[in-house]
Structures are given as C-alpha cells and as structure tokens.
Amino acid sequence: MKKIGVAILGLGVVGGGTYKILSEHRDFYKKVHGLDITVESVLEINKERAIALGVSESIISTNIAEICSNPDIDIVVEVIGGVEPAKSYVLAALNAGKSVVTSNKELFCKYSHELEKAAKKNNCGLFYEACVCGGIPVIRSLTDNLQGNKITSIMGIINGTTNYILTKMSNEGVTYSEVVKEAQKLGYAEANPSADVEGYDAAYKLSILSSLSFHTKIPFTEVYREGITEIDNTDIKYGKKLGYSLKLLAIGKNSENGIEVRVHPAFINSTHPLASVNDSYNAVYITGDCVEDVMLYGRGAGALPTGSAIVGDIIYCATHEKFNYSTFDNTANCDPATKFITNFESAYYLRLVAQDRTGVLSRVSSVLSKNDISVAQVIQDKVNKQDNTVQLIITTHLTHEKNINKAVKEINSIDGFAKVNSIIRVVS
Ligand code: HSE
C-alpha cells in the first residue's frame, strides 16, 4: 500500500471540508486506489477550530518550516487564500520537495509563473483544480481531456455569490443591497463582498481558464472587468420581457483577430444553457474545434465540493510519476506578440428615460445610425404622468463598444431630451 502524507495549510471552510473527506474516505481510497492518505499535519493558529473538526492536537502546527522538514509529508494543501503568507508557504513547500495542491485563485492567477518555476526546479507537482469553480472539473478538462482541441471560446458563470444575488433579484424582485445583506447572513457573501461583486474573483478565474484554453499567458490585468454593483431591478424586469436572463459572465475568445477576455453582467437568451444556471451554481461552456460545445455544471464553492477538487488533485498527484506544467511560456506578463481586442463586438440593451415629445425617438435613432448601430427592437413603456417621461428600451444588433459609448455620450449631451440609464451587453 502506497502511503501519502498530507499537510493542510488553513482549516477554514475548504480546509475543513478537505480534512473531512480525507478522514471519512480513507478506507475507500485504500481499496480503490491502493493509497493510504493520511493528514500528518495542519497549519492553523486557531487550535479550537481544528480540534472541533476532530483534528488531533498532536498534528496542529503553527510553523511552516516544521511541515517542510517533515519527511512523512509528501503533499502540501494550501487553502489559506490571499497572497501572503500563502505564497511564501507554497514556495517553501515546493523548495522542500513537496508537491502542492492549492485552491488559492488570487495567488495562482498572479504568481503561477513563480510557483511553477519552483515546482519544475524541484520536480514537484503543482495542482490547482480547486482554484476555479469549486467542484467542477474544468481545469483537468482543459489540461488533459480537451488538449486535442483548438479552443476558440470559453464562457461561464464562474462566481457563485453573484449568481445567487442575480437569481434572487430576478426571481423575487428584491434589490441588490437587500440580497447582499441576506447572502452575507447565509454565509454566501463575505463581510467585504467586493472580490465577488466587483468581479475580481471571476477575473482571476478567467485569467487562469483563458491562459490554459488559448495556450498563452493572459495576465489578470488584461481581463476587462465590471461587477454587478450597479445592477438595477428595472433592467432585469425589462430583460425578462425581452426573453433574457441577466448573468455575470466571464468570456474568453480566441480568433485570428486576437484574444478578448472580459467579465461583466450580460443578458443572455433564456434558451441558452447558461441561462438555467441559477443560485450559487457555476457552469463553464467551452467550444473547441473538434469537440464543439461542452458544458460543465456544478457547485462552484463550498466545503465538500471544493474539497472534492482538492482530494482529486491529491490522488492525481499520488498516482502520477511525471507532472504536467503549462503548455506555454509562463511568465509574469503576456507574450508581447499577443493581440488583445478591447473594442469588443456585442449586441446591446439600452434603457433611456426620454421626454415624451415629438421627434425624440427619431433623434435617438439618428444618433444610433450615425454611429453605425443598427436597432433590433424598441419598447416604449407607458408615460410617467408626473414628469412626462417614458422608459425607452432599445436593443441593437452587433456593434462595437466604441460605437455604443460614443452614441450614448452624444444622446446624454442633448439637454432635457433623453438620458441613457443603463447599458448592458447582450450575448447570443
Ligand atoms: N467566492 C467564490 C464564489 C467562491 O462566490 O464563487 C470561491 O471562488
């Protein structure tokens, strides 16, 4: 029986879930994989928390050097989160010859070049399935199963907190701030929810996914990012009338014109498979030249789903002699030859509040047509008698960001005529 010693750095939600899975499935892994996986040490300053999880006091440590020098430890699991001290601990473990499994998307996204260099130098494995979409096996799908493809596009709902918020807003008509408070109470959203609601978490994940998909380094700083903090229920309501669902989408595309990577709220047609991904669930929709479309769906967070990804990596690491590293030159910055598209092409939804008087619609449409924007649909809601205004909803055919931004500026600059309150991209 092959013995595998594991150390877990951090016993928070994911660390606790990993510990539970490893403890409860020990006999199962012995039988199925011929592996006796034991937790030899946990790094946790909160002793009580560790003991409450059933960890024996004798294996609780607060010293990374002790873990690195322990010959019984083969694999170090880093689930602390954030950059420091996680980065120093991971580098120390790799330099001590231990393979590392991490769920830390911020660390991996920003420093995978340094971590991978240390892993290669020390002939260690570096595994990160748990960094993206919790229990969904998307990393290994990209690094192994889909390697035969040229991947042209990857589109996903890769943040559970924002998907939970948008689903609640859409189904129950509650406001953004009400749902955030509720999500915090339920433990879905952090006390400071900015990493999720401002799209950083999704941008870290998209940087990792698109680098793997397109075989070139896509630094996080190249990902265009907009969060959901400005979303208004009014737009969700009008979107529904048009047959759309509102989602925080992460989109990566690779074409002969270049690469585009973006995270922003978007309307998608309610018939699209991603439209039915609700609550805190995640899904990733990948298009490859051979496989065509693949959609992976599941829990993107949580103790056991993310623990499942970590334990999968531990078993993979324990059963492979040779480790895979990036298929591209993993440097801090992108290859200078990489061309990024920032003037995205998209269809758009615009909501204007306009004066209800003769010629307003024709002036709006003349600004749009001057900017090479073709109108797909127009809805005019009933007149607000108090100020004699109307809500005007316009959807467009495909056009470019620059055209839309220019047209909106122009419309807004005509005093007392119409104001564009919302611009939302529509993804088909
Ligand atoms: N906070 C993330 C989410 C989970 O809401 O999806 C960890 O990445």
Side-chain angles (χ1 to χ4, degrees), residues 49-69:
R49 174 156 59 191
I51 290 166
L53 286 165
V55 177
S56 149
E57 199 168 349
S58 63
I59 65 160
I60 304 172
S61 172
T62 52
N63 185 347
I64 186 70
E66 199 174 87
I67 289 174
C68 291
S69 61

Side-chain angles (χ1 to χ4, degrees), residues 155 224 226 244 249 251 253 260 262 264-268 341-350 371-376 394-405 423-428:
M155 181 156 84
Y224 173 84
E226 260 177 48
Y244 299 144
L249 287 187
I251 300 170
K253 289 185 186 173
E260 61 181 73
R262 45 188 167 117
H264 54 69
F267 278 129
I268 45 173
I341 300 169
T342 51
N343 186 19
F344 313 124
E345 189 180 51
S346 180
Y348 292 81
Y349 156 105
L350 305 175
N371 285 287
D372 206 18
I373 298 166
S374 166
V375 170
I394 297 175
T395 62
T396 76
H397 290 295
L398 286 180
T399 182
H400 287 94
E401 293 269 313
K402 275 191 185 155
N403 299 359
I404 277 287
N405 293 337
I423 312 169
I424 299 176
R425 297 167 190 89
V426 180
V427 171
S428 53

Side-chain angles (χ1 to χ4, degrees), residues 119-148:
K120 274 185 183 171
K121 190 177 113 206
N122 296 289
N123 197 24
C124 296
L126 176 62
F127 296 89
Y128 48 97
E129 182 67 70
C131 286
V132 183
C133 298
I136 301 178
V138 62
I139 297 292
R140 195 119 55 238
S141 296
L142 290 170
T143 57
D144 286 12
N145 311 91
L146 293 172
Q147 279 293 310

Side-chain angles (χ1 to χ4, degrees), residues 105 131 133 158-162 188 190 196 201 205 282 300-301:
K105 63 228 39 129
C131 286
C133 298
I158 59 178
N159 181 270
T161 305
T162 48
Y188 287 133
E190 307 277 342
D196 290 317
D201 177 82
K205 292 168 180 168
N282 283 192

